[in-house]
Amino acid sequence: MSTTADPHARRAWREALGVAFATSAYGISFGALGVASGLDIWQTCVLSLLMFTGGSQFAFVGVIGAGGLAAAPAAIASASLLGVRNVAYGMRMSPVIGAGGWRRAAAAQFTIDESAAVSLAQHTPRARTIGFWVTGVGIYIGWNVSTLAGALLGDVLGDPRAYGLDAAAAAAFLALLWPRLRRRQAIAVGVASAVVAVVLTPVLMPGVPVIVAAVVAVVVGWFNWLGRSSTQTGGSIVEPGDVPEREGLP
């Protein structure tokens, strides 16, 4: 079936390209902040090429900017903590990627928040695969191009936050999350995770609140306290035919 004739595939392409565009614009902010923190242009670009996880990159340059090279161990620890979440994404995306050593090796570089979110928001296996690869590859290309642009034009741009670029990624996630908040269980997962992250952010080192909030989301979603694990039809229990994840889990 061609993409043109498949509405789910068209939706996946549309959402993936939209998220890729919004997130790539945020890379300008990282490029400018990286140079402002004391890294040179090439060091900033190498971080995007090899690390390629926005939260970890910002944590790294933020700590380096505050403490210089002496803070490198703390910067690496903060970046690593934020990167731990990608391990969970990798396990969840394994069925979408499929078998094959080269395919899995390539997918590891593109397994990030956005590619996992867009993929799991789709309703068919083919659409999930499209969502993952188009989002991951699109952001990788756009993020690296915009990182270079931000590093080169940092002095000209001034503070990237003045343009609202620091909110681009959050806005993209909100657009993906909002349509999923239709049931009490999904709302409970989102609210519980958000409250934990907000409370812990001022008192814990960067990365830890994200991990704790993710654990809370898994616990609340797994026990499915406010949802239903199955659909009742005519006195019998019928499992949904094609659900990307357990009801309530992000």
Side-chain angles (χ1 to χ4, degrees):
M1 181 183 296
S2 66
T3 300
T4 305
D6 185 350
H8 296 293
R10 291 201 307 271
R11 176 175 179 264
W13 272 93
R14 184 171 61 251
E15 293 183 356
L17 291 175
V19 170
F21 179 79
T23 306
S24 296
Y26 193 22
I28 297 176
S29 178
F30 173 73
L33 291 175
V35 173
S37 298
L39 301 178
D40 61 32
I41 293 174
W42 295 112
Q43 288 171 330
T44 302
C45 291
V46 165
L47 278 178
S48 285
L49 284 167
L50 300 182
M51 186 178 288
F52 187 52
T53 172
S56 296
Q57 292 178 231
F58 277 101
F60 183 87
V61 299
V63 176
I64 289 292
L69 290 179
I76 294 172
S78 298
S80 299
L81 282 171
L82 281 169
V84 167
R85 70 192 189 281
N86 288 350
V87 176
Y89 295 154
M91 292 187 292
R92 184 61 189 88
M93 298 310 300
S94 181
V96 175
I97 303 305
W102 285 107
R103 183 183 303 172
R104 289 176 178 268
Q109 181 70 353
F110 307 123
T111 303
I112 55 176
D113 303 298
E114 293 84 357
S115 61
V118 172
S119 178
L120 295 178
Q122 309 310 313
H123 301 293
T124 66
R126 181 166 180 262
R128 287 176 213 139
T129 302
I130 292 172
F132 174 82
W133 287 107
V134 173
T135 305
V137 175
I139 292 177
Y140 186 78
I141 295 172
W143 181 265
N144 282 282
V145 170
S146 61
T147 294
L148 176 60
L152 291 172
L153 302 175
D155 292 336
V156 177
L157 289 172
D159 186 357
R161 290 172 293 185
Y163 301 98
L165 294 177
D166 55 330
F173 268 111
L174 182 60
L176 287 170
L177 177 63
W178 190 258
R180 303 172 73 81
L181 299 179
R182 297 176 180 175
R183 300 179 182 177
R184 290 178 298 173
Q185 177 66 11
I187 295 173
V189 170
V191 170
S193 302
V195 169
V196 169
V198 170
V199 171
L200 296 182
T201 294
V203 297
L204 296 180
M205 67 183 296
V208 176
V210 176
I211 297 173
V212 176
V215 172
V216 171
V218 170
V219 171
V220 176
W222 182 262
F223 285 100
N224 206 25
W225 288 316
L226 299 177
R228 295 176 300 172
S229 59
S230 57
T231 302
Q232 195 79 19
T233 304
S236 61
I237 297 178
V238 180
E239 295 290 342
D242 184 22
V243 180
E245 68 272 0
R246 183 185 176 94
E247 178 188 344
L249 280 176

